Amino acid sequence: MSWQAYVDDNMMMELEGNCLTSAAILGHDGSVWAQSESFPQFKDQEIIDIMKEFDEPGSLAPVGLHLGGVKYLMIQGDPGEVIRGKKGSGGACVKKTGQALLIGIYNEPMTPGQCNLIVEKLGDYLIEQGL
């Protein structure tokens, strides 16, 4: 399966009538492996900051999670594994695997739990596959 198929078929899929606003799979260096058409243009520093948060949990708490210039309030994640952010009625989830970052962005009516399920389930599968 291609990386784009993982985004299109697994991350942008409908879950209980809702789907992510945008999604992407990136390398740890910020290289784009695949993304939805609507995924925002991110800045290199945003990926550097995300990777730092995985290495030093809590480093983003004072400044927030930034994706495509949008600031998300940090909410509880799994240190070293998952970063979650909230902005108004939407938010974002970032799952780290051995080689990739999976990023899902959502707005209502999708719930945070639905976004987390989509992103983290695929991330867990890729980890099981050694990726």
Side-chain angles (χ1 to χ4, degrees):
M1 181 180 286
S2 75
W3 290 113
Q4 192 61 50
Y6 280 114
V7 169
D8 296 341
D9 300 339
N10 296 97
M11 296 182 79
M12 296 300 293
M13 67 177 202
E14 191 172 290
L15 179 64
E16 299 174 9
N18 303 314
C19 87
L20 294 172
T21 305
S22 58
I25 301 174
L26 312 173
H28 288 181
D29 62 357
S31 59
V32 177
W33 294 3
Q35 65 183 21
S36 63
E37 288 183 26
S38 57
F39 193 77
Q41 180 64 43
F42 58 87
K43 298 176 178 86
D44 291 340
Q45 188 61 48
E46 293 172 340
I47 303 304
I48 292 167
D49 293 344
I50 287 169
M51 290 303 295
K52 182 178 178 185
E53 173 67 23
F54 283 120
D55 293 337
E56 301 171 28
S59 65
L60 282 181
V63 295
L65 168 66
H66 290 80
L67 290 169
V70 175
K71 180 181 177 180
Y72 296 86
L73 176 67
M74 293 288 294
I75 57 177
Q76 183 177 359
D78 299 323
E81 297 178 28
V82 177
I83 298 170
R84 297 184 186 112
K86 183 86 171 124
K87 179 171 178 61
S89 61
C93 178
V94 183
K95 171 76 174 180
K96 181 183 177 193
T97 72
Q99 299 176 27
L101 297 174
L102 285 73
I103 303 173
I105 299 173
Y106 70 94
N107 283 312
E108 282 187 340
M110 178 165 265
T111 66
Q114 290 171 324
C115 174
N116 298 343
L117 180 67
I118 289 170
V119 174
E120 293 175 40
K121 185 175 180 181
L122 178 58
D124 290 342
Y125 169 77
L126 293 176
I127 289 169
E128 289 172 7
Q129 301 306 306
L131 299 169

